[in-house]
Amino acid sequence: MCKYELILFDLDGTISDPKEGITKSVQYALQKLGKEEPDLDKLERFIGPPLQESFPKYYGYNEEITNQAIALYRKRFSQSGMFENELYPSISMLLDLLQKEGCILIVATSKPTIFAETILKYFQIEQYFTQIIGSNLDGTRTSKTEIIQYIVDLYPSYQLSDFVMIGDREHDIIGAKNVGIDSIGVTYGYGSYEELHKANATYIVESIDQLTDILIGRKNERKQQINLVTEDEAPLVHRLMLEAFEDYRYMEVPSSALNEPIDKLIDALKNGTEQAILYRLNAIPLGSSRLQLKEDSLYFSRLSVTPSARGKGIAQAMLAWMEEYALLNGKQKMECKVRANVAKNISLYEKVGFVITKEEEADNPNGKLVKTVDMEKLIKREIPTTI
């Protein structure tokens, strides 16, 4: 069953990878205007935003030159650029599944509607979409806010909660927020996690499989996974930590986690001074924690749960996993340090058997003293008795 009744898809960077066609068409336009740009990777920033914004922003063109650049871009793009394009793997399967589930699928793109229609027909996926809404060739209706609002107005009998916008750039997320609907940012396109997070995406996913989990709401297939990570997954652990610790940014003494460089975690994982775990639900990463095996205990820190997933037992699941891991490594105690003024964290640990062993003022890397409490839990493996 679909979580949303009307699903709006961005095109470039969400349904297909248009890099070659877009960057070469931009390169062509710049060349005709006397600007050589040999690095196509540098032109990736044109993927997603309206051309009316990108040419002035990145090359300082005035309105007249911008219009010339757009005309030159469209000349090459209409002839060959739109076909220098590839569907993302599994996107056709997702569209087919959503259609069978009864979802109303709509393309919402800043690309001119006529180009979007041609591209979808080229890929033979136009049959999945009830509407294909893009910008107008005369330069009107180019912003994502305008496009999304136009689509919402086409369906007055539906509530805003029935809609969701899926896209890979901040423009998709900001447009959805301006109109009042949910959004899903996809990092397999051309927007970064940081960009989508800063724009306040309702969800952020890394793959089409994760996107499917959210849209279909496969509640009966809940697959929980907790595992130690390698240094290659350090960026994911770091990202989850930053998202979770954002709550502490405006405290009197902000958390040092917010300024911790990712290199510190990578080095710790490489040299073995620290380990880290990730919690995934249906392959979606929702939680993480750092840990150290000491002489007689397991010490954990930076326990993180993404805000949208809190209250679902994820922290308790990670604590239980670490307790088992401690026992497997011959440790009979778990330890942590908690800010004294964050009662909810102290309560969480007390709920699963931790007790406060020490109160102190600790030096914070930000240069200020912070009141903290040390907490520990004695653990042992229960051996069942037989009668």
Side-chain angles (χ1 to χ4, degrees):
M1 180 178 178
C2 285
K3 180 178 177 66
Y4 298 95
E5 295 193 54
L6 298 100
I7 302 175
L8 284 55
F9 280 89
D10 175 44
L11 179 53
D12 295 336
T14 303
I15 292 176
S16 67
D17 182 351
K19 177 181 176 178
E20 182 180 359
I22 288 180
T23 57
K24 285 185 176 179
S25 296
V26 172
Q27 184 185 57
Y28 171 84
L30 293 172
Q31 185 180 51
K32 291 297 182 181
L33 292 170
K35 172 67 177 176
E36 293 293 335
E37 188 58 82
D39 187 359
L40 292 179
D41 289 342
K42 187 176 179 181
L43 300 178
E44 283 185 5
R45 55 194 179 182
F46 278 79
I47 302 174
L51 294 173
Q52 288 85 349
E53 294 181 15
S54 297
F55 279 115
K57 180 177 180 179
Y58 299 121
Y59 290 95
Y61 290 165
N62 60 27
E63 183 177 355
E64 180 182 355
I65 302 300
T66 293
N67 288 336
Q68 292 179 34
I70 292 173
L72 290 165
Y73 169 93
R74 287 177 176 171
K75 177 182 177 181
R76 185 191 184 282
F77 190 80
S78 63
Q79 292 173 351
S80 59
M82 72 174 74
F83 307 115
E84 296 166 330
N85 202 343
E86 293 182 4
L87 280 183
Y88 284 113
S90 303
I91 194 70
S92 296
M93 294 175 60
L94 172 60
L95 296 175
D96 186 64
L97 179 60
L98 292 172
Q99 188 181 68
K100 289 177 178 176
E101 289 286 333
C103 305
I104 298 172
L105 308 182
I106 301 167
V107 170
T109 175
S110 295
K111 187 183 298 298
T113 302
I114 188 170
F115 289 165
E117 291 173 341
T118 302
I119 292 168
L120 295 173
K121 288 178 181 177
Y122 172 74
F123 285 127
Q124 299 182 339
I125 57 172
E126 78 279 6
Q127 71 274 13
Y128 293 116
F129 298 99
T130 303
Q131 303 276 352
I132 301 171
I133 306 298
S135 61
N136 298 318
L137 288 172
D138 63 5
T140 57
R141 201 176 67 201
T142 59
S143 80
K144 270 294 165 71
T145 299
E146 292 177 297
I147 292 165
I148 295 171
Q149 186 63 63
Y150 179 85
I151 294 170
V152 169
D153 290 342
L154 291 176
Y155 296 89
S157 62
Y158 289 87
Q159 303 296 314
L160 290 176
S161 58
D162 295 326
F163 294 81
V164 66
M165 175 71 212
I166 304 168
D168 69 315
R169 300 302 306 271
E170 63 180 352
H171 303 76
D172 304 301
I173 309 306
I174 293 170
K177 185 178 179 181
N178 289 341
V179 175
I181 68 172
D182 283 357
S183 60
I184 304 175
V186 299
T187 61
Y188 60 76
Y190 287 89
S192 66
Y193 175 90
E194 290 72 23
E195 175 183 334
L196 298 169
H197 176 64
K198 186 177 179 181
N200 292 314
T202 309
Y203 303 95
I204 300 177
V205 301
E206 298 180 313
S207 66
I208 290 173
D209 188 55
Q210 292 178 8
L211 183 58
T212 304
D213 287 334
I214 290 175
L215 294 175
I216 302 299
R218 296 186 283 198
K219 295 180 180 178
N220 294 328
E221 299 179 23
R222 293 173 62 89
K223 296 180 181 177
Q224 175 179 282
Q225 181 184 14
I226 301 174
N227 61 276
L228 290 168
V229 303
T230 64
E231 61 190 71
D232 293 336
E233 294 176 296
L236 186 52
V237 174
H238 189 259
R239 197 173 77 192
L240 284 166
M241 178 192 72
L242 292 179
E243 185 174 351
F245 277 76
E246 185 66 25
D247 292 351
Y248 302 98
R249 182 176 296 280
Y250 301 105
M251 298 183 74
E252 183 178 354
V253 182
S255 172
S256 60
L258 296 166
N259 299 317
E260 183 181 40
I262 190 172
D263 291 346
K264 181 180 178 182
L265 172 59
I266 293 174
D267 290 342
L269 293 175
K270 280 183 178 179
N271 61 38
T273 57
E274 218 175 339
Q275 295 176 291
I277 61 171
L278 275 174
Y279 174 102
R280 290 181 172 89
L281 184 65
N282 292 333
I284 300 175
L286 299 175
S288 66
S289 184
R290 312 260 279 273
L291 59 103
Q292 295 171 284
L293 291 173
K294 298 191 173 183
E295 185 176 347
D296 65 346
S297 68
L298 180 151
Y299 179 85
F300 67 91
S301 61
R302 308 298 200 212
L303 185 71
S304 307
V305 177
T306 190
S308 63
R310 289 174 183 165
K312 299 179 181 178
I314 294 174
Q316 291 92 326
M318 288 192 289
L319 288 168
W321 188 97
M322 287 190 286
E323 184 172 325
E324 180 66 20
Y325 186 66
L327 289 169
L328 287 172
N329 284 275
K331 313 303 178 185
Q332 296 190 337
K333 183 168 63 175
M334 288 179 62
E335 299 177 305
C336 66
K337 188 181 291 289
V338 186
R339 287 194 179 211
N341 64 346
V342 185
K344 63 179 182 180
N345 289 351
I346 295 175
S347 177
L348 166 66
Y349 299 137
E350 288 179 332
K351 184 178 179 181
V352 295
F354 283 78
V355 295
I356 295 174
T357 59
K358 183 180 179 181
E359 298 182 17
E360 64 178 349
E361 283 192 330
D363 288 326
N364 185 279
N366 291 317
K368 295 184 179 181
L369 291 175
V370 179
K371 291 183 178 180
T372 64
V373 297
D374 290 355
M375 302 188 73
E376 70 174 39
K377 178 182 180 181
L378 299 178
I379 55 177
K380 62 180 180 178
R381 190 178 300 282
E382 297 292 340
I383 300 176
T385 58
T386 57
I387 299 176

